[in-house]
Amino acid sequence: KIKIKIKIKIKIKIKIKIKIKIKIKIKEKDMGQRCQSCGMPLNKDPKGGGSEKDGSLSTTYYSICYEDGAFRHPGVSVEEFQAHCVDALADKGMPRIMAWAFTRGIPKLDRWA
């Protein structure tokens, strides 16, 4: 009688790397003209746009960015403004990753370029 003892040791190492790439494509014609400070579509502004010093409607800036011919957040850097916008969108219920994606284009807008 021969006894054979076999010991098998299996080591499995699984490495999972997930890369998430969010690409948001919004056609200009679908969204209309954008605020040149924050990038929001001007046609979504409840006030129809910011206001100039003379009280006329601004066709360049959103009402939350521009009022009475002046920016509502003067003296901030583009990075500070982006962080503010991410926080504001997240406070309204948008996931932070989506808010971050929506604000990536801010440095290319006229106010910041």
Side-chain angles (χ1 to χ4, degrees), residues 1-74:
K1 198 172 181 185
I2 299 175
K3 282 188 177 181
I4 300 174
K5 193 175 182 182
I6 301 173
K7 190 175 181 182
I8 300 173
K9 192 175 184 181
I10 300 173
K11 194 175 188 180
I12 300 173
K13 188 175 182 181
I14 299 174
K15 188 175 182 180
I16 299 173
K17 187 175 183 180
I18 299 173
K19 186 175 182 180
I20 299 173
K21 186 174 183 181
I22 298 174
K23 192 170 188 178
I24 299 171
K25 272 189 163 181
I26 301 173
K27 293 181 181 176
E28 191 71 29
K29 66 178 179 131
D30 294 337
M31 127 176 129
Q33 188 177 2
R34 299 182 316 152
C35 171
Q36 292 302 301
S37 178
C38 70
M40 290 291 290
L42 289 174
N43 63 2
K44 300 289 184 193
D45 189 334
K47 294 182 180 178
S51 60
E52 298 293 351
K53 247 191 194 324
D54 63 2
S56 64
L57 201 60
S58 170
T59 58
T60 309
Y61 299 107
Y62 206 79
S63 61
I64 60 172
C65 296
Y66 193 72
E67 188 175 54
D68 296 326
F71 291 110
R72 295 186 63 198
H73 300 92

Side-chain angles (χ1 to χ4, degrees), residues 74-89:
V76 296
S77 69
V78 68
E79 293 83 10
E80 292 168 327
F81 189 72
Q82 278 179 292
H84 166 75
C85 291
V86 168
D87 291 340
L89 291 169

